Amino acid sequence: MPSWRQWLGAALTFLGLTTAALTMAYAATDIPENLNSYATQQDNVYFWSDGTPMARTGWVRRQDMPLKDIPEDVRWAVLAAENAGFYSDPGISLSGVTRAVWRTFGEGDTQGGSTITQQYVKNVYLNQDRSLGRKVTEAMLALKLDNRMSKDDILEGYLNTSWFGRGTYGMQRAAQAYYGKDVGELNVSEAAFLASLLKGAALYDPALSKANHARAVERWSWILDRMVDIGRLSPAERAKYRTFPEPLRQTQGYDTGRQSDYLVELAAQYAKKAAHLTDQQFDLGGYQIYTTFDRKRETALTDAVTKAREQARKDHPGQAKTAHYGAASVAADGRILAVYGGPDHRTQGYNESNATTVPAGSAFLPFVYASALHNGVHKTRDGAATEVTPETLYDGDDGIPVMTPEGPYWDRGGKQVKARNDGGEDHGQISLHRALALSVNTPFMQLGMDTGLDKVRRTAEAAGLLGSSFGPQVPALSLGSATPSAIRMASGYATFAAAGTHVEPYSVARITRNGSEVRLAKPASRRAVPAKVAEQVQSALRDAFVLAHPATAASAPRVTGKTGTTQGDTAAWYVGTAASVSTAVVAYRVDLAESLEPLPLKGVAGTPANSVPYDIWAGALGLD
């Protein structure tokens, strides 16, 4: 048998070799420069204008929270459960590491107690492998990290990267998933339950099984008692929590995949532009995007379009297959309150509300009228501008030639261009105010030429239409050859409602990232037309609404609106304003499998007397 001296020598040799090996391992271990993807990836959360959650995007459901925003009771519930000596330990648990080594050689299992620092290292630098090598690396990194980072920074990182089940990482998302509230609103009892999930969410989520529920209650109670033991909860306070704080049965869901994805798409585009964020920055996540979208208006608009779709399938099953409906509501201050982008974003990513597919038709006439009122007209090339008023008379007959100062206007094919009215009606000499109210085309085609098509276009662009939606500068421009989106048409009419001041439409009111404000560029604002001109346009649009819908107008004294039709019956519009909110609705047919060329509506949009776009518009506003 070896003597005691030999045993002592062997032990000292082993200790020396072990110390040397650990010293070398410590020196050779470098803290990685980059965290793993799951430690940096967060989700972006979108909110309705009332502050309630609308949608979430991103591969990882996680949102960083500064430690100062996590209540002290919540922190100590976690520390009591996982590592009560966190603030005094060196970053590792010697007993835990020893147990891990012993189990590896004795039982083939590396389970053992890890400090919060070790768990944080595993979360952000390593994988979940249980090998001895990974355990040693974890310990070395934990020791180095404990010397480099403050305890508070390590705890903050741990609370933001730990897995809590239900698809969530971090205390903030866990609080929302299990209790429908932010982490700052948790009480100590709820925090104790969430802390129990760190031992294994699959074993402690009460919604999964009765056995889980029993385990969760037992662990929750133990954590609260443990907080008393370490002096972080008084016995009197502990006595208040005798009833288990039952979490929500299911994670709070988000309505994604249908209309909300169209909203998210618009908001994300605007957020990146207004906050000057690259795609890479935005995709890293962590942003809270507070949109301008009004949940009630969005629901009403979607319901109104859905009703029209269903009716079209019933009345015109063949044509309904290629029918499209775009709609948008924009406030006078530029906020986009609601859009209808399509039947379902998962099957049609093409956003109808933002599409520039079909011409505006006679819904464009108010811009011609506004430009003439503002700029006057030139009857001769060298003559001074003549003032135009709402009572200025123009020829309202069908088929009158379009004139230039040099004489009749001829197209490139050598054909004389003539203005046409819907149905070929003659109206004789008619005031511009009444011509707009009755949607008589012929005066406005000539009025555009007298005002100057370049001025008409500038007025329309100043009011909100995009220059890219305009085609050739020919007489047809005055009758709506431009192809604006529903959002832009609503924005243009909103300019008249805002006394001639245009604010660029925007879909995001504010953005935060992990609780801090992100600076946004303010939407551009400009004077498009004088207030008097805007008032005159609104007056004519009010009469247009009264003449077309006298019964509804009687109970809606401040509502304005106008239909829009196109040559060839390829699109039907209704654009109107109520309570300083302008809504534009367009119906058209396009076979996306073939081309983007508009097809004749063939009854899908109703008739001028019974217009489907008007029904959608009125239904969305509750006027039907």
Side-chain angles (χ1 to χ4, degrees):
M1 293 290 292
S3 69
W4 66 269
R5 290 185 179 84
Q6 290 174 314
W7 279 114
L8 178 60
L12 290 174
T13 301
F14 177 78
L15 180 62
L17 291 173
T18 301
T19 301
L22 290 175
T23 301
M24 293 175 62
Y26 180 84
T29 302
D30 293 322
I31 297 177
E33 293 184 3
N34 299 316
L35 307 182
N36 65 46
S37 60
Y38 280 97
T40 55
Q41 188 79 32
Q42 300 181 62
D43 54 4
N44 290 324
V45 182
Y46 297 78
F47 298 87
W48 294 102
S49 59
D50 63 3
T52 56
M54 180 180 74
R56 178 183 64 84
T57 61
W59 293 106
V60 176
R61 190 173 178 186
R62 187 172 70 83
Q63 179 193 336
D64 280 347
M65 290 295 288
L67 191 64
K68 65 181 178 61
D69 293 334
I70 300 175
E72 193 169 354
D73 281 347
V74 176
R75 302 180 217 168
W76 277 103
V78 171
L79 292 173
E82 295 293 307
N83 187 186
F86 167 72
Y87 278 100
S88 60
D89 67 35
I92 65 170
S93 167
L94 293 177
S95 62
V97 173
T98 301
R99 268 199 312 274
V101 174
W102 176 258
R103 290 185 177 223
T104 299
F105 290 107
E107 302 177 25
D109 184 355
T110 62
Q111 289 182 357
S114 295
T115 65
I116 278 179
T117 306
Q118 289 175 266
Q119 293 180 57
Y120 175 61
V121 164
K122 181 174 63 177
N123 288 347
V124 301
Y125 295 125
L126 306 175
N127 54 40
Q128 303 303 310
D129 179 31
R130 291 176 176 268
S131 69
L132 178 61
R134 200 275 295 158
K135 196 72 178 177
V136 171
T137 301
E138 173 191 296
M140 296 301 104
L141 285 173
L143 283 170
K144 281 202 167 183
L145 207 65
D146 192 74
N147 290 325
R148 182 176 297 185
M149 292 177 65
S150 71
K151 288 289 189 178
D152 280 351
D153 286 344
I154 293 172
L155 180 59
E156 179 182 300
Y158 174 71
L159 293 176
N160 282 319
T161 57
S162 294
W163 170 252
F164 285 86
R166 297 194 181 184
T168 64
Y169 289 86
M171 286 294 291
Q172 169 70 348
R173 284 289 176 264
Q176 293 170 340
Y178 289 92
Y179 289 108
K181 60 177 68 172
D182 289 337
V183 65
E185 301 170 4
L186 293 173
N187 61 40
V188 67
S189 179
E190 293 164 337
F193 161 69
L194 293 181
S196 72
L197 296 168
L198 293 167
K199 196 170 180 66
L203 294 174
Y204 291 91
D205 184 346
L208 299 180
S209 69
K210 290 182 178 180
N212 270 24
H213 190 280
R215 278 191 291 267
V217 171
E218 181 181 3
R219 179 111 178 126
W220 159 80
S221 181
W222 178 85
I223 292 171
L224 290 175
D225 291 339
R226 178 67 172 153
M227 291 183 72
V228 174
D229 293 341
I230 63 175
R232 292 297 168 174
L233 191 67
S234 70
E237 188 73 14
R238 170 66 179 94
K240 295 179 182 179
Y241 301 111
R242 296 298 180 189
T243 303
F244 180 65
E246 296 288 350
L248 301 173
R249 293 292 300 173
Q250 293 182 339
T251 300
Q252 184 178 6
Y254 297 92
D255 179 23
T256 57
R258 298 180 174 85
Q259 282 304 306
S260 63
D261 278 4
Y262 295 111
L263 306 182
V264 164
E265 185 178 60
L266 288 173
Q269 290 172 354
Y270 183 85
K272 286 185 279 189
K273 180 180 178 181
H276 305 291
L277 298 171
T278 64
D279 289 342
Q280 183 180 16
Q281 288 173 318
F282 193 74
D283 289 344
L284 281 175
Y287 295 97
Q288 298 78 53
I289 299 101
Y290 296 87
T291 74
T292 60
F293 302 125
D294 184 295
R295 184 200 292 264
K296 292 181 179 179
R297 286 184 180 273
E298 181 64 33
T299 298
L301 183 59
T302 301
D303 289 347
V305 178
T306 300
K307 180 180 178 182
R309 280 188 178 280
E310 292 173 351
Q311 191 64 44
R313 291 191 189 100
K314 179 180 177 181
D315 297 340
H316 307 279
Q319 291 83 357
K321 293 178 181 178
T322 53
H324 296 266
Y325 304 84
S329 294
V330 179
D333 60 7
R335 288 174 297 132
I336 303 175
L337 302 181
V339 303
Y340 180 84
D344 190 331
H345 191 274
R346 292 170 298 187
T347 57
Q348 180 188 296
Y350 178 75
N351 189 337
E352 307 284 7
S353 71
N354 207 27
T356 55
T357 306
V358 295
S362 55
F364 184 81
L365 299 186
F367 301 105
V368 183
Y369 184 43
S371 187
L373 291 172
H374 180 32
N375 296 297
V377 299
H378 295 264
K379 294 292 186 180
T380 62
R381 180 169 294 280
D382 300 323
T386 302
E387 182 183 5
V388 171
T389 72
E391 300 309 315
T392 298
L393 298 177
Y394 264 75
D395 191 342
D397 284 345
D398 180 64
I400 59 172
V402 176
M403 304 297 292
T404 71
E406 290 79 18
Y409 184 92
W410 303 83
D411 64 21
R412 291 184 178 181
K415 185 177 180 180
Q416 188 176 14
V417 176
K418 296 181 179 181
R420 298 290 181 183
N421 289 325
D422 288 342
E425 289 186 66
D426 292 330
H427 294 270
Q429 292 293 304
I430 187 172
S431 72
L432 292 175
H433 175 100
R434 186 164 178 78
L436 182 58
L438 293 174
S439 197
V440 182
N441 291 337
T442 52
F444 291 98
M445 199 165 187
Q446 185 59 52
L447 182 65
M449 296 296 292
D450 295 344
T451 304
L453 297 178
D454 57 335
K455 294 185 178 68
V456 171
R457 175 172 173 166
R458 282 202 297 271
T459 298
E461 289 183 18
L465 272 63
L466 295 178
S468 58
S469 65
F470 287 88
Q473 209 156 278
V474 296
L477 182 148
S478 296
L479 297 187
S481 61
T483 57
S485 67
I487 291 176
R488 286 292 168 174
M489 280 298 282
S491 176
Y493 274 58
T495 299
F496 300 130
T501 298
H502 173 71
V503 180
E504 276 293 285
Y506 65 99
S507 55
V508 177
R510 58 185 285 257
I511 300 176
T512 61
R513 190 169 196 270
N514 304 331
S516 300
E517 288 287 334
V518 175
R519 188 174 180 179
L520 290 179
K522 293 183 178 179
S525 175
R526 60 176 176 263
R527 168 65 61 183
V529 294
K532 182 180 178 181
V533 169
E535 181 182 351
Q536 291 168 333
V537 173
Q538 283 290 85
S539 175
L541 291 174
R542 169 62 185 172
D543 282 356
F545 182 68
V546 170
L547 290 172
H549 309 283
T552 304
S555 59
R558 296 186 179 182
V559 175
T560 67
K562 188 186 182 310
T563 58
T565 56
T566 61
Q567 291 185 349
D569 188 35
T570 56
W573 290 82
Y574 196 86
V575 191
T577 304
S580 298
V581 176
S582 298
T583 300
V585 180
V586 61
Y588 61 99
R589 288 180 60 227
V590 167
D591 188 346
L592 294 176
E594 297 293 332
S595 72
L596 291 179
E597 190 69 26
L599 303 170
L601 287 166
K602 293 185 177 181
V604 169
T607 65
N610 186 20
S611 166
V612 170
Y614 171 78
D615 289 342
I616 293 172
W617 179 86
L621 298 178
L623 296 176
D624 55 348

